[in-house]
Amino acid sequence: MSDDDHGTAPATRTDLWTTIDALWKWLEADQPVGGREGLLLRMLKLSEEVGEVAEAVIGATGQNPRKGVTHTWGDVEAELCDVVITAMVALRTLTPEAREVFERHLARVAGRSLPPVT
């Protein structure tokens, strides 16, 4: 699905972490709860988003006999993207060096999981 299919204008191509930082600033500017509680609530948002993935999978497979098929696999994709974005914003909330923290961690995971590049 394109962005237009969701009723939003297509985004211009920008650096991923620049966009994450802009989303973080937007959320910080209108945060109803701040401090440690706000930080914890930002982390809990991940659980909400993961629950939406589960709901979409159940809906795409028709596993709720009362509701039947209520979602598409495209809906699952969108919900997974929301999880990734929410996690990245949560990481940015913890540290302004989110890009570097993520890249180091990704390199460690890839280093222990993938065969060496030849």
Side-chain angles (χ1 to χ4, degrees):
M1 282 186 156
S2 72
D3 287 338
D4 286 334
D5 293 335
H6 296 289
T8 60
T12 58
R13 288 192 181 254
T14 58
D15 174 70
L16 172 70
W17 286 102
T18 301
T19 302
I20 294 301
D21 194 56
L23 288 168
W24 172 78
K25 287 176 184 172
W26 170 70
L27 287 169
E28 288 294 306
D30 195 28
Q31 187 176 14
V33 178
R36 186 172 180 89
E37 186 178 1
L39 173 70
L40 295 174
L41 289 169
R42 181 80 43 88
M43 301 305 131
L44 286 175
K45 180 71 174 159
L46 274 167
S47 293
E48 178 190 355
E49 295 298 340
V50 170
E52 290 175 11
V53 171
E55 180 182 8
V57 169
I58 290 166
T61 58
Q63 292 303 301
N64 183 334
R66 186 173 51 83
K67 294 180 180 179
V69 175
T70 58
H71 291 75
T72 67
W73 288 105
D75 295 327
V76 176
E77 291 172 357
E79 296 299 346
L80 286 168
C81 289
D82 286 348
V83 169
V84 172
I85 293 164
T86 302
M88 295 176 88
V89 171
L91 180 59
R92 173 58 186 89
T93 300
L94 287 175
T95 177
E97 288 85 30
R99 175 195 304 255
E100 294 79 12
V101 169
F102 181 79
E103 287 176 356
R104 280 193 310 270
H105 188 76
L106 180 61
R108 281 193 303 272
V109 170
R112 71 175 183 245
S113 303
L114 301 175
V117 178
T118 56

